[in-house]
Structure formats: structure tokens, C-alpha cells
Amino acid sequence: MDAALVAVARAQHEAALMAYRLRDRTLARRMATEFGFSVKTWSDHSLGKRWASRATWAAFTTIAMRTCAPPDETG
């Protein structure tokens, strides 16, 4: 298997784990609404059944930024 595909699969897996660890039951619905995909698509991508789309990667990135970013100090 191509090393690049393995790296992408690993990143998708880690992103899905990050989202799962939040234990937020409304996360899938909110991300689907915000980024314009279905909850089924979110599920398929999070479970590794399909490669994540650009929209799903945008959602994963948004979750990471909202979760890991330091608090806004601008008030």
C-alpha cells in the first residue's frame, strides 16, 4: 500500500478518535448541518468506511480548533 494513503488513513483515524473522545452526542448533527453533509456521511467517515471528504476534514479541523485552541484573550 502507498505510504501516503497509510498516512492519510492514520490521520483520518486520529481525527475520528479526537471527535469521539469529546463524548458529545450532538456533534455529528451539528457538524453535518454546519458543513453540509449527512450524519450518515459523518458516521461512514468516522468509522473508516469511506475516505473523508473535504467537508468532513473541515469539520474535523474545526472541532480540533474549537477544542484545542487557547481561550480568546481579546475579551
Side-chain angles (χ1 to χ4, degrees), residues 47-63:
L47 294 172
K49 292 181 179 179
R50 294 178 23 202
W51 290 106
S53 65
R54 289 180 185 169
T56 305
W57 277 111
F60 284 147
T61 302
T62 299
I63 293 166

Side-chain angles (χ1 to χ4, degrees), residues 9-72:
R10 181 72 172 163
Q12 182 173 333
H13 177 72
E14 291 295 328
L17 285 176
M18 175 198 60
Y20 174 77
R21 287 182 188 123
L22 294 175
R23 303 277 198 254
D24 181 344
R25 292 173 131 337
T26 65
L27 185 64
R29 172 67 55 205
R30 287 186 290 121
M31 291 295 105
T33 300
E34 187 170 343
F35 290 95
F37 52 80
S38 69
V39 173
K40 170 80 167 106
T41 296
W42 174 265
S43 177
D44 286 351
H45 294 172
S46 295
L47 294 172
K49 292 181 179 179
R50 294 178 23 202
W51 290 106
S53 65
R54 289 180 185 169
T56 305
W57 277 111
F60 284 147
T61 302
T62 299
I63 293 166
M65 291 181 347
R66 291 176 182 169
T67 305
C68 302
D72 183 9

